[in-house]
Each structure stands twice: as C-alpha cells, then as structure tokens.
Amino acid sequence: MIHHYVIVEHEGGEFPYYLHLQQNSIQVKEEELIERGHQTGKVGHIGNSKASHLHFHLVDKPDPETSSCLPIYSENIESWPDDAHADAFQYRDIITAKEK
C-alpha cells in the first residue's frame, strides 16, 4: 500500500504528520518553506475506511519509526463532543472550531 503524506517541521522540534492524502495531490516539495494556510494536499481515501479522511498527529521527530507523539492543544476550539476535553476525543467525534 502506498501512503501519501506530508511531514512539516515547526520551530521548537514539533512535526505534524498529515496522512491519507490523495495520490498526486501534494502541493509542497521537500525542504520547501510554507506558511499557515498553504495547501499541502487534498484529503484522500485509503485502507478500510468508508470515506475520505485525514490522519493527523504531532510528534517529536520526522522519523515515523523513532518518533513519539506529542499532545495537541488549540486555543480556538468552541466545543468538544459531549463536553469532552481535548485529550479525550474519540473516533467519529466532531470538534467545532470558532473563527478568530
């Protein structure tokens, strides 16, 4: 199975991974500097899923084999499903972000 993904390096040693992107949709090149809002690719469909989706996680290294997950925080979350906290959302939960 071929995986289409983008790994971004942020200042401070954080690396967000964006996985399950559409084939031939990635809009960035290796070592390219990007800014907030830059389109990296289009959400795709892979594996046993029934719909397009984005797999996102934040890690401490760019190497998937040796990295460890980091917690994700957001300042613009309006509501979590069933009043859950940011560290407790589950599969299929819907998170609503408010505009800044």
Side-chain angles (χ1 to χ4, degrees):
M1 181 181 312
I2 297 173
H3 297 279
H4 304 283
Y5 61 90
V6 171
I7 301 171
V8 178
E9 180 178 4
H10 286 190
E11 292 180 10
E14 297 176 337
F15 299 86
Y17 284 30
Y18 302 88
L19 297 102
H20 305 306
L21 301 177
Q22 285 180 20
Q23 186 174 5
N24 302 316
S25 76
I26 294 177
Q27 301 292 311
V28 294
K29 294 180 177 37
E30 193 169 339
E31 302 296 326
E32 179 180 354
L33 294 176
I34 60 173
E35 295 182 15
R36 178 181 289 185
H38 187 103
Q39 181 174 337
T40 56
K42 295 180 181 178
V43 174
H45 186 300
I46 180 172
N48 292 328
S49 65
K50 300 219 184 277
S52 297
H53 65 283
L54 176 71
H55 179 118
F56 171 83
H57 64 273
L58 186 66
V59 296
D60 61 353
K61 299 176 193 165
D63 180 1
E65 300 292 323
T66 62
S67 62
S68 296
C69 287
L70 298 172
I72 299 170
Y73 302 99
S74 179
E75 296 177 1
N76 69 335
I77 298 297
E78 185 172 284
S79 66
W80 292 100
D82 300 323
D83 296 321
H85 295 282
D87 59 352
F89 67 91
Q90 300 293 316
Y91 176 68
R92 295 183 186 237
D93 284 345
I94 297 173
I95 301 165
T96 305
K98 59 186 174 187
E99 292 292 323
K100 286 197 168 210

